[in-house]
Amino acid sequence: MATAAQKIRASNFNNSGVSGVATSSGSDTTTSASYVDMAGTGATTSFSFTIGPSVSTIKVTMYVGWSATVATTLADFAVKIAGTDYRLGHNLLASGTSGFYSGAVFITGITPSTYTVQGRWRRESASGQCNRTGTNEWLTITCEAIS
């Protein structure tokens, strides 16, 4: 028999996200030094997530394929929730190469509600351009209630 605490945790468990999507045509690019929303034709880059009353911590994970053009580029990845950017980490690629970034962030203190989780990125340094193009550079973002 489940305890009351186990029942509350189970009823408030939520796991949703963007599951392996690519830009179907065109591209998603940035040279911005400030965070911008990920975009791209045919690409889903945000989703809704509901936080229950007994949840105090969520875990957001991002997996993204991307490439650098023009010059070596350091890209920084984040998600925006309720107007705040939460940084997941960064990845450096040499000019003309494709790569993959994965990272996670634990976020505490978000009140119960339904939020939009938006994938974001920026060029942190160097002079190249960050790209997600075609069907080979996929994006996955997940959000999970932890406690």
Side-chain angles (χ1 to χ4, degrees), residues 27-51:
S27 62
D28 181 11
T29 64
T30 188
T31 56
S32 175
S34 301
Y35 286 117
V36 295
D37 290 353
M38 290 179 154
T41 305
T44 302
T45 61
S46 67
F47 61 95
S48 291
F49 182 75
T50 301
I51 297 173

Side-chain angles (χ1 to χ4, degrees), residues 65-96:
W66 72 287
S67 57
T69 58
V70 181
T72 298
T73 304
L74 182 63
D76 192 36
F77 301 92
V79 291
K80 182 167 72 173
I81 302 173
T84 300
D85 286 317
Y86 296 93
R87 183 175 187 256
L88 285 92
H90 57 231
N91 188 221
L92 180 70
L93 289 180
S95 178

Side-chain angles (χ1 to χ4, degrees), residues 33-36 38 58-64 66 73-81 83-92 101-108 110 117-125 141-142:
S34 301
Y35 286 117
V36 295
M38 290 179 154
I58 61 172
K59 177 185 175 185
V60 180
T61 306
M62 179 184 286
Y63 310 90
V64 60
W66 72 287
T73 304
L74 182 63
D76 192 36
F77 301 92
V79 291
K80 182 167 72 173
I81 302 173
T84 300
D85 286 317
Y86 296 93
R87 183 175 187 256
L88 285 92
H90 57 231
N91 188 221
L92 180 70
Y101 169 79
S102 65
V105 62
F106 290 89
I107 303 169
T108 59
I110 296 180
V117 178
Q118 172 66 55
R120 311 255 291 163
W121 65 341
R122 69 185 179 110
R123 183 181 70 192
E124 186 174 347
S125 68
I141 306 170
T142 63

